[in-house]
Amino acid sequence: MKNILFLTFGVLWLFVGPSSGELAPLEKSYKILVLIPVSSWSHRQVILPIVEALADRGHQVVVLSKFPPSTLHPNIHELTVRNSIYEEKINFFEVRKHPLLFLATFRADLAATAKQLYNDTHVLDLYAMRKEFDLVMVDALFNEAMYPFAEDLPFITISTVGHDYQQSAVMGNVMNPAYVPTELWDFARPWKIHDKVFNILAHFFNALVWRYWVVPAIQEEVTLHLPDIRPLLYTERNASLTFLNSHYSIDLPLPLLPSQVQIGAIHCKSPKPLNKELTSWIEGAGDEGVIYVSLGSMAQGNTMPIQYRDLFVAAFARLSRRVIWKYEGSVPGVSENVLIRRWLPQQDILAHPKVKVFLSHGGLLSLQESIYHVTPIVALPIFGDQERVSAHLHNKGFGRWLQWEDLSVDLLLQAIYDVSNNTRYLNNVRVASRLMREQPTSPKELAVFWSEYIIKHKGAPHLRSPAMDLTWLEFFLVDALVFMVLVGGLTYALLQNILKRIKLDYGKMKAD
Ligand SMILES: *[C@@H]1O[C@H](CO)[C@@H](O)[C@H](O)[C@H]1NC(C)=O
Ligand SMILES: *[C@@H]1O[C@H](CO)[C@@H](O)[C@H](O)[C@H]1NC(C)=O
Ligand SMILES: *[C@@H]1O[C@H](CO)[C@@H](O)[C@H](O)[C@H]1NC(C)=O
């Protein structure tokens, strides 16, 4: 059945035709399995362009995801697998200052999701035929339950959150906490001593909690259904390569392995024309331009605490500019200069020259889109990596970083005016945008090149860092240090002994 599907898609593809830029002609069409059943909408935004690029190139891609199919591409076959992850309606505003509660919620959710996934015939059927694929790709965050699919197959992980020190360590690239933040927190630079101490502790805390508390809960559920699988963390360590949703132009430049490939901002694209309503709203805004407001796809409007919603309403009423606000639900008392919609074409709006400031939750994708389309930011991080991204954009001078707890109408207005009046932010963003676009190969081409490379070279074991085969004691050279101390001590003791004897003999000689 699957083979017939592939054949049909393959024939269709002959008519659609391949469309890739600088890559060498296609040698062979491969079958690629992309597993993202536990990915949020924003993770999916990063992964779908990779899938599209592979499909455009002529490969057959099967995607297992939580969302309904979103493309008619003949080479892409999307399987939807229902699961209740994210449906428990976590109030992200409530958990924002409680990382343990946040982790505990995810632990319970991820284990329950693993249980649901392996009780689903789509998933089990796909698992049974997994060896037909030439390559498996898995979203590196939250999709641990899918690692059994990758056993004994060439396998790529996708870090949609960009550089992640834990995931980097899995690849054998251990980052230095003197300057590399965790996924969750960064600080104004230069870091103060308490920032450094916090960062070191966070490096240990996050990794230990994840490895010894969250993943075992997932492992338990998966093993119930597939008793013969290897430990999930063992399979994870055998990944051939990682695609990082980061780029040195806007993220921290870090030492990377050849198996860590940056495809940051792969989802950013040239704007499409806006609809009539948005065009006339933006063009009619006068020279002062428009403020675009969106808190992303995870924290929905109706979970926004009323005091903050009212504060936004009061601030926008005093703002001498037009506002476009992505908000799910109705907002009472909103002033006439504010246009509210449930869904908005964010990139197309940000690309409009009259859109002067993006009031954002500091999501990584929002940051990338904002830089790509040259709009400075006022960030109000809610949860997860948004605090890190907001601190980073503050350090880079891409905009302002505020905290909900400090927020007042005056502070919000002052930040919006500061970012829109002060050309420093716009200039920084403009320079970064040029740097981000100035690449020898597009992120999509990189993704295609490295995927084919991993298949052709059977998992490319030559890319594997030797660090992956070391224990922690070996990695920190404890064995060698102990050896050196022992040899040094022994030599010292021996020399002491000899000297003592010489002295004694000399003393005796003199006495004689
Ligand atoms: C597993 O699937 C069966 C049949 O589809 C269903 O009755 C059962 O409730 C499911 N169990 C879980 C834990 O989802
Ligand atoms: C920014 O400019 C507006 C007018 O465009 C002015 O009302 C406001 O005071 C200025 N704010 C700052 C902080 O410069
Ligand atoms: C590890 O990866 C290599 C190369 O892709 C593969 O040949 C091998 O079977 C994998 N081992 C496990 C245990 O998955």
Side-chain angles (χ1 to χ4, degrees):
M1 171 62 193
K2 279 281 143 50
N3 283 328
I4 296 174
L5 270 178
F6 281 134
L7 195 70
T8 323
F9 289 152
V11 171
L12 275 171
W13 169 76
L14 284 178
F15 295 100
V16 179
S19 62
S20 42
E22 306 296 319
L23 293 163
L26 182 67
E27 282 175 26
K28 187 171 173 233
S29 169
Y30 296 114
K31 292 182 189 173
I32 299 169
L33 177 60
V34 180
L35 301 164
I36 53 170
V38 197
S39 302
S40 65
W41 184 256
S42 56
H43 287 204
R44 186 182 159 87
Q45 298 308 103
V46 178
I47 291 166
L48 282 187
I50 302 174
V51 169
E52 279 159 18
L54 290 166
D56 284 344
R57 172 78 164 161
H59 301 300
Q60 303 297 327
V61 193
V62 174
V63 184
L64 181 73
S65 111
K66 173 182 161 62
F67 297 96
S70 61
T71 169
L72 294 174
H73 198 299
N75 290 356
I76 302 177
H77 184 54
E78 293 185 73
L79 296 170
T80 306
V81 53
R82 292 297 313 152
N83 63 76
S84 56
I85 187 83
Y86 308 123
E87 276 168 16
E88 216 176 278
K89 287 284 157 272
I90 305 171
N91 187 330
F92 292 105
F93 283 91
E94 271 168 22
V95 298
R96 58 181 258 91
K97 288 291 170 193
H98 305 285
L100 257 183
L101 179 62
F102 181 66
L103 283 166
T105 313
F106 265 99
R107 177 179 185 265
D109 263 16
L110 291 176
T113 305
K115 187 175 192 165
Q116 287 178 320
L117 288 174
Y118 283 102
N119 190 33
D120 186 306
T121 46
H122 289 328
V123 176
L124 295 174
D125 289 351
L126 199 58
Y127 181 76
M129 58 171 281
R130 67 191 184 90
K131 290 275 168 84
E132 286 177 28
F133 291 92
D134 299 298
L135 176 69
V136 174
M137 286 191 186
V138 185
D139 182 345
L141 194 68
F142 302 153
N143 286 269
E144 282 85 355
M146 290 292 105
Y147 287 150
F149 281 77
E151 279 185 15
D152 299 319
L153 286 173
F155 154 43
I156 292 179
T157 50
I158 306 169
S159 182
T160 55
V161 292
H163 191 271
D164 166 351
Y165 83 103
Q166 285 188 63
Q167 209 271 328
S168 187
V170 168
M171 300 300 287
N173 188 2
V174 177
M175 291 282 157
N176 185 344
Y179 66 99
V180 180
T182 61
E183 321 80 284
L184 298 181
W185 301 284
D186 197 349
F187 319 94
R189 303 218 180 208
W191 286 354
K192 303 201 176 58
I193 189 79
H194 52 84
D195 298 331
K196 290 183 196 174
V197 172
F198 185 91
N199 192 52
I200 296 170
L201 296 177
H203 268 245
F204 283 105
F205 176 81
N206 292 2
L208 293 177
V209 165
W210 202 258
R211 293 185 70 81
Y212 296 108
W213 194 55
V214 178
V215 177
I218 304 170
Q219 176 87 51
E220 203 181 308
E221 290 301 337
V222 179
T223 313
L224 273 182
H225 293 88
L226 306 173
D228 299 327
I229 55 157
R230 299 195 185 92
L232 301 174
L233 292 175
Y234 176 88
T235 306
E236 179 182 49
R237 252 178 120 67
N238 200 39
S240 305
L241 188 120
T242 299
F243 289 132
L244 301 175
N245 181 25
S246 63
H247 191 253
Y248 52 78
S249 56
I250 63 163
D251 295 290
L252 292 175
L254 294 176
L256 297 179
L257 294 165
S259 56
Q260 294 177 295
V261 176
Q262 297 196 303
I263 54 150
I266 192 170
H267 76 293
C268 290
K269 50 183 181 232
S270 305
K272 290 193 290 291
L274 293 164
N275 68 22
K276 261 203 196 117
E277 181 192 38
L278 288 170
T279 309
S280 70
W281 183 262
I282 295 177
E283 312 250 300
D287 293 339
E288 305 235 302
V290 174
I291 313 300
Y292 173 62
V293 185
S294 168
L295 300 179
S297 58
M298 289 296 277
Q300 298 277 302
N302 47 19
T303 63
M304 186 177 186
I306 294 196
Q307 89 252 31
Y308 295 139
R309 190 193 68 192
D310 290 347
L311 195 150
F312 273 26
V313 169
F316 298 158
R318 275 174 50 194
L319 198 62
S320 57
R321 297 167 196 205
R322 281 193 178 169
V323 176
I324 300 178
W325 186 1
K326 190 209 79 128
Y327 186 92
E328 301 80 2
S330 66
V331 184
V334 76
S335 50
E336 291 218 316
N337 61 331
V338 182
L339 180 78
I340 295 179
R341 290 291 173 267
R342 309 192 128 251
W343 185 87
L344 288 158
Q346 179 156 302
Q347 291 202 48
D348 305 336
I349 292 177
L350 290 173
H352 198 290
K354 278 207 162 181
V355 175
K356 303 289 187 195
V357 178
F358 180 9
L359 175 56
S360 163
H361 63 312
L364 180 62
L365 271 59
S366 290
L367 170 71
Q368 292 174 340
E369 292 168 14
S370 219
I371 303 293
Y372 191 86
H373 297 293
V374 196
T375 308
I377 305 161
V378 174
L380 271 164
I382 306 170
F383 74 99
D385 64 351
Q386 296 161 11
E387 195 75 31
R388 165 180 61 102
V389 172
S390 303
H392 180 70
L393 73 87
H394 160 85
N395 288 327
K396 285 277 198 175
F398 296 153
R400 291 276 299 267
W401 166 30
L402 306 179
Q403 295 291 347
W404 290 97
E405 288 73 17
D406 306 336
L407 205 61
S408 66
V409 171
D410 287 331
L411 180 65
L412 185 58
L413 285 175
Q414 191 259 333
I416 291 174
Y417 280 130
D418 179 26
V419 170
S420 54
N421 295 11
N422 197 330
T423 52
R424 180 170 80 89
Y425 300 105
L426 182 61
N427 288 339
N428 290 338
V429 169
R430 190 173 282 136
V431 169
S433 184
R434 267 190 60 191
L435 295 175
M436 189 189 207
R437 289 159 184 256
E438 195 167 325
Q439 298 186 36
T441 324
S442 73
K444 279 190 167 180
E445 282 166 358
L446 271 179
V448 170
F449 173 86
W450 283 104
S451 302
E452 291 178 357
Y453 185 95
I454 292 302
I455 299 171
K456 278 191 287 192
H457 300 289
K458 311 220 172 332
H462 61 279
L463 293 182
R464 212 177 140 79
S465 162
M468 288 167 97
D469 303 320
L470 301 182
T471 63
W472 280 108
L473 290 183
E474 289 168 327
F475 185 84
F476 285 113
L477 291 166
V478 174
D479 50 351
L481 290 173
V482 168
F483 180 77
M484 278 158 69
V485 168
L486 282 180
V487 170
L490 277 177
T491 316
Y492 180 76
L494 207 70
L495 282 177
Q496 278 277 22
N497 211 297
I498 294 174
L499 273 175
K500 229 192 211 156
R501 265 159 208 270
I502 294 176
K503 260 194 200 154
L504 267 179
D505 289 350
Y506 182 68
K508 250 197 215 145
M509 246 165 65
K510 256 184 143 178
D512 290 349

